[in-house]
Amino acid sequence: MISQNNALQVRFADYAFVRNRLLNREEIALLDVREEAPHATGHPLFAANLSLSRLELDAYTKLPRKDVVIVLIDAGEGLAEAAADRLTGMGYTQVYVFRGGIAEWREAGGELFIDVNVPSKAFGELLEAVCHTPSQPAQTVKKWLDEGEDMVVVDVRRFDEYQTMNIPTSVSVPGAELVLRIPELVPNPSTKIVI
């Protein structure tokens, strides 16, 4: 259901509206406008994090079409309404606020996912199971590194996690960048790739 608060010119969307668009494979930008830490504590699976503090910096690259349906969600603290006002001011024409925020999403039967980049992590785990990607213990990888094995270690975690702790000589290639960057990082098809 879609409703509108005429006083604030804010359009609201509910769980059924978002769910139907997702099930019908209709385009939607479901955006959690909280900062990354609160986003990581629980968000809808397909909600991308675009915090209010970075909205003007990132909106044009993450939302290149101004007529895309955008649904903004927060924890009910008013961030979504502020984001809707800013996006509308930037020329976006299909901006909605998810009424009731994260609590209403859960109350309506929507699942919340903890952490960030959940779809890409799930995809990686599925790929590992289906393709029977071999796993190696840390001791084996260290031995290969010590022996100068022809290998490249790529770290697909977020860059801030990589900066905190990583395997020496590893290369930071967050998430889906892996698909784009692996050919340049590993030009020899016989080189071992450790992810």
Side-chain angles (χ1 to χ4, degrees), residues 14-180:
D14 63 8
Y15 180 76
F17 175 76
V18 174
R19 186 172 188 275
N20 287 337
R21 286 196 75 88
L22 291 170
L23 289 175
N24 292 328
R25 298 179 183 259
E26 295 174 308
E27 187 176 40
I28 184 171
L30 178 57
L31 302 176
D32 185 340
V33 293
R34 298 173 296 162
E35 293 297 324
E36 185 177 54
H39 169 76
T41 64
H43 57 86
L45 178 63
F46 293 109
N49 185 224
L50 179 55
S51 66
L52 180 64
S53 66
R54 295 203 45 92
L55 198 65
E56 287 88 353
L57 295 171
D58 296 336
Y60 292 125
T61 56
K62 294 189 177 188
L63 304 163
R65 284 195 10 265
K66 297 224 177 151
D67 63 344
V68 66
V69 172
I70 301 169
V71 176
L72 307 165
I73 193 166
D74 62 10
E77 67 274 74
L79 298 173
E81 286 86 351
D85 186 51
R86 290 185 193 178
L87 287 170
T88 301
M90 294 168 71
Y92 291 92
T93 60
Q94 298 286 330
V95 182
Y96 301 88
V97 170
F98 188 87
R99 187 185 298 279
I102 293 294
E104 179 57 33
W105 180 270
R106 184 178 31 244
E107 182 69 26
E111 191 171 355
L112 296 178
F113 292 83
I114 297 171
D115 208 352
V116 293
N117 304 317
V118 175
S120 64
K121 288 176 184 175
F123 176 72
E125 291 170 8
L126 175 66
L127 196 59
E128 180 181 11
V130 171
C131 297
H132 308 289
T133 306
S135 285
Q136 296 297 330
Q139 296 83 354
T140 301
V141 174
K142 181 173 182 346
K143 181 178 177 244
W144 290 344
L145 286 169
D146 291 344
E147 293 174 352
E149 186 82 25
D150 179 22
M151 64 185 277
V152 174
V153 179
V154 292
D155 190 323
V156 295
R157 299 172 302 150
R158 295 186 331 253
F159 186 65
D160 61 321
E161 292 178 18
Y162 173 80
Q163 286 180 305
T164 302
M165 182 185 336
N166 61 67
I167 296 173
T169 74
S170 66
V171 179
S172 176
V173 186
E177 285 185 34
L178 181 67
V179 177
L180 299 172

Side-chain angles (χ1 to χ4, degrees), residues 4-10:
Q4 185 167 332
N5 178 337
N6 288 328
L8 299 175
Q9 294 301 310
V10 174

